[in-house]
Amino acid sequence: MTDNSKGLLVILSGPSGSGKDTVITHALEEMNGVKLSVSLTTRPPRPWEKEGEDYYFCTREQFQDKIAAGDVLEYAEYNGNFYGTPREPVEEWVKAGNTMILNIEVIGAEKVRARCPEAVSVFLVPPSMKVLEERLRARDTGENPEVIAGRLKIAERELGCAGQYDYIICNDDLKEAVKNLKAIIHAEHRRTKRQIGFVREVLKKC
Ligand code: ADP
Ligand code: 5GP
């Protein structure tokens, strides 16, 4: 983001299949200085997923080693697999004044809120459970029906956590959802606490 504000950490959660990846991908196409954090996971890659772009795929042992080394900002178990955010890339990117988006589930989000109270959190909601189920089944991930059923079960629990978030976006119309996420990021950058340093610089030069 080409402005004078301090860095921003954005948490985006929402049930699996609500459209987090899709909305983030479109939002990133149109924003400078905004990146998506690449997580570690022990789940197997989907046919189209690339190492280091979609996830860092690893074994449980490798995952535990990263935690023990203090290299993980937060982590959680989701539907039988572990997911975690590499700490250093997030800290460095945000410290340099940029925006990092974390696509993480609700337990991890709670941990990040506790560790980084300045983080802004957004919850993406599907228009209905029926639509969510249709999207999950149509996605063609190669996952068996039990895995998808597990995701739907977790979705109900996750929807109950929406009230913990700063913002809620309904992903019915994709364009609208992308517009809303971008609007939130832009507005958060305009907050006085992120701009006041710039005002002081202007004053100094008077
Ligand atoms: P998540 O990252 O939350 O698990 P995805 O981004 O993978 O969800 O989206 C799940 C599926 O729903 C994908 O096949 C995607 O193309 C589709 N999808 C996402 N948003 C919309 C939308 N607004 N309308 C219709 N389909 C959508
Ligand atoms: P998926 O298997 O669909 O890629 O991801 C399953 C869930 O894990 C999603 O809700 C996603 O947001 C979450 N997730 C992905 N990466 C991380 C992470 O680094 N930490 C946590 N806590 N959750 C993650």
Side-chain angles (χ1 to χ4, degrees), residues 31-180:
M31 297 182 107
N32 297 322
V34 185
K35 263 199 327 203
L36 171 64
S37 162
V38 180
S39 295
L40 292 157
T41 185
T42 62
R43 89 147 158 73
R46 291 172 183 156
W48 60 86
E49 286 179 333
K50 292 200 181 91
E51 166 70 20
E53 277 184 35
D54 298 287
Y55 279 107
Y56 296 106
F57 297 97
C58 64
T59 63
R60 282 182 176 236
E61 291 70 32
Q62 288 166 331
F63 196 93
Q64 293 301 340
D65 287 348
K66 293 270 183 199
I67 294 169
D71 292 344
V72 174
L73 179 68
E74 62 70 39
Y75 71 95
E77 190 174 359
Y78 175 94
N79 214 20
N81 290 298
F82 286 96
Y83 296 78
T85 304
R87 187 179 48 78
E88 209 175 273
V90 174
E91 284 178 357
E92 284 183 0
W93 185 250
V94 173
K95 211 159 84 186
N98 301 299
T99 299
M100 186 67 98
I101 303 179
L102 308 182
N103 171 351
I104 59 177
E105 52 65 66
V106 294
I107 297 161
E110 211 174 317
K111 292 181 188 167
V112 175
R113 266 192 229 102
R115 256 182 107 156
C116 320
E118 296 237 315
V120 172
S121 60
V122 182
F123 194 89
L124 196 66
V125 195
S128 68
M129 285 304 280
K130 187 169 170 285
V131 169
L132 184 72
E133 186 168 352
E134 284 164 7
R135 285 183 189 167
L136 276 175
R137 294 197 192 287
R139 193 161 57 169
D140 210 16
T141 51
E143 288 165 333
N144 65 44
E146 290 85 65
V147 172
I148 293 185
R151 287 176 181 269
L152 280 167
K153 207 162 167 208
I154 295 170
E156 285 181 37
R157 232 178 25 233
E158 289 181 314
L159 285 167
C161 298
Q164 297 167 10
Y165 287 70
D166 298 315
Y167 297 94
I168 295 175
I169 298 176
C170 177
N171 181 21
D172 189 357
D173 178 71
L174 179 60
K175 262 191 170 172
E176 198 62 24
V178 172
K179 197 175 87 183
N180 282 326

